[in-house]
Amino acid sequence: SKEVNLYSQRHYAVDKLQYENFQKLTGIKVNVIKANADELIERLKNEGEDSPADLFVTVDAGKLYRASKMGLLQKISNKIIDTNVSPDLKDKNGYWIPITYRARILVYSNQRVEKNDLSTYEELVDEKWKGRILARSSSNAYNQALMSSIVANLGSDLASSWSKGIVRNFARDPKGSDRDQVKAIAAGQGDIAIVNSYYIGLLLSSEKEEELNAGKSVTVFFPNQAENERGSHINVSGIGLAKYSPNKENAIKLMEYLTSEEAQNTYVNNSYEYPANPNVTPSEIVQSWGTFKRDTLDLNMLGKYRDEAIRIFDKTGWK
């Protein structure tokens, strides 16, 4: 059939544009069912061999790892996709591919913080940041992935100490989205926020005055950049090929397209994410922040240590 069925967690306008472009190019219609990743995983599990899903799309490598461990995905072996994607962003086990990535960075107030005041994620526990840090809740997958990376890199004990220190330095109880943390800095409610990089691009390109002003009130900072440090934590938006994909050939074609230079340029200039394809450069806004060293941790660790990350959040009072 001339269709492909996606179970997708992504909720960005750029995705609709990508699927329309793919249909024009190939004649293959893209059908999308949207829900959060855990709901989609449960649906895949319950449907079993009768599932209409061809592809599972998420904004978190940890969820892709979970789906693969539950036997819901099949291996992807394709030379075009392999050529299109940076080697360090790939699943070492071959069950999923990245389409974009984002860094979980710090942004700081232009008025109340100097760049030299900042260095690493770990340093945020310093007493000088007491009452100054903003972040969203621990139930958020982006924060869970960040904590999973800290567990993987530093161990549970140090991750627990770090979480306690962050909680001690919060400007307010965690709430709202990443955009809301930046708006809170603009409103003087805190001085530093932990956010995903692309939200700053979205704020700086917004037509809403409040959002544009919030974006302009902060500067982007990439933590852990010194020579002996691991680099800034990243996560991917990625795709897994469903175990019982009824339209496998079409699904592979869509993955080839989404990792192509044409589609990657569409992503970077609309969603302000980083490209998975190394031949594509980020948008001008994102380029203006400079290049950065990314943590090359196996991204499956963001799933492997997820339960431990949630346990640490609960134990240390990160709401």
Side-chain angles (χ1 to χ4, degrees), residues 48-316:
E49 293 181 34
D50 298 324
S51 178
D54 295 302
L55 296 168
F56 170 53
V57 185
T58 83
V59 293
D60 173 25
K63 302 296 185 189
L64 289 160
Y65 171 84
R66 186 172 165 231
S68 71
K69 281 290 167 192
M70 289 171 69
L72 302 175
L73 305 178
Q74 59 177 294
K75 288 201 175 188
I76 302 156
S77 178
N78 180 277
K79 283 180 181 171
I80 294 172
I81 296 167
D82 276 348
T83 307
N84 283 348
V85 172
S86 294
D88 67 313
L89 297 175
K90 289 177 190 167
D91 173 22
K92 290 172 172 56
N93 304 317
Y95 285 101
W96 54 263
I97 63 156
I99 45 173
T100 61
Y101 72 96
R102 61 282 297 273
R104 194 124 185 94
I105 54 163
L106 307 177
V107 291
Y108 61 88
S109 165
N110 294 333
Q111 296 179 326
R112 299 180 297 278
V113 179
E114 297 291 328
K115 183 180 180 180
N116 292 341
D117 295 339
L118 292 161
S119 61
T120 64
Y121 297 107
E122 291 83 338
E123 187 270 340
L124 292 175
V125 303
D126 191 284
E127 204 166 86
K128 72 181 177 188
W129 302 120
K130 193 168 179 64
R132 301 175 75 185
I133 295 174
L134 294 152
R136 67 200 289 175
S137 86
S138 62
S139 63
N140 172 253
Y142 305 146
N143 280 342
Q144 290 175 1
L146 174 61
M147 181 62 81
S148 300
S149 79
I150 290 171
V151 174
N153 279 304
L154 305 177
S156 289
D157 290 347
L158 281 172
S160 293
S161 299
W162 181 75
S163 189
K164 276 181 199 161
I166 297 290
V167 170
R168 204 166 45 237
N169 287 345
F170 274 148
R172 63 178 186 189
D173 283 347
K175 64 175 181 179
S177 66
D178 280 6
R179 288 180 215 236
D180 292 326
Q181 313 315 316
V182 183
K183 288 175 186 175
I185 291 178
Q189 294 166 13
D191 295 340
I192 305 171
I194 302 169
V195 298
N196 274 357
S197 52
Y198 66 90
Y199 282 108
I200 307 307
L202 290 170
L203 289 170
L204 289 172
S205 61
S206 176
E207 291 175 4
K208 295 177 184 170
E209 192 178 0
E210 181 201 12
E211 295 200 335
L212 190 58
N213 290 340
K216 286 179 175 175
S217 75
V218 299
T219 299
V220 164
F221 183 84
F222 296 100
N224 298 69
Q225 293 298 295
E227 199 176 328
N228 62 340
E229 287 163 358
R230 66 185 179 276
S232 297
H233 163 66
I234 62 159
N235 201 347
V236 295
S237 265
I239 306 181
L241 181 60
K243 175 90 176 277
Y244 302 107
S245 166
N247 305 292
K248 184 175 173 179
E249 198 177 310
N250 295 345
I252 297 286
K253 277 183 186 166
L254 180 57
M255 286 191 279
E256 289 174 353
Y257 176 73
L258 293 177
T259 55
S260 71
E261 290 186 31
E262 180 188 339
Q264 290 281 296
N265 276 305
T266 303
Y267 279 129
V268 300
N269 291 311
N270 286 276
S271 64
Y272 303 96
E273 296 168 283
Y274 285 95
N277 188 319
N279 298 322
V280 174
T281 51
S283 74
E284 284 185 20
I285 288 174
V286 175
Q287 284 183 62
S288 73
W289 308 331
T291 57
F292 74 99
K293 176 167 74 170
R294 57 195 192 214
D295 183 357
T296 56
L297 178 75
D298 175 0
L299 291 169
N300 286 305
M301 298 302 103
L302 307 184
K304 183 177 180 183
Y305 291 106
R306 187 59 54 95
D307 289 345
E308 178 63 6
I310 293 167
R311 189 187 69 78
I312 288 169
F313 279 135
D314 291 344
K315 189 178 76 175
T316 57

Side-chain angles (χ1 to χ4, degrees), residues 7-22:
Y7 283 9
S8 180
Q9 183 191 12
R10 279 178 64 96
H11 51 83
Y12 314 114
V14 67
D15 296 281
K16 189 180 177 201
L17 180 61
Q18 296 280 37
Y19 305 149
E20 285 170 356
N21 289 343
F22 175 72

Side-chain angles (χ1 to χ4, degrees), residues 33-49:
I33 287 174
K34 290 184 194 173
N36 75 42
D38 291 329
E39 287 169 348
L40 294 170
I41 287 171
E42 198 59 29
R43 184 165 177 163
L44 282 167
K45 185 180 117 184
N46 292 339
E47 287 171 345
E49 293 181 34

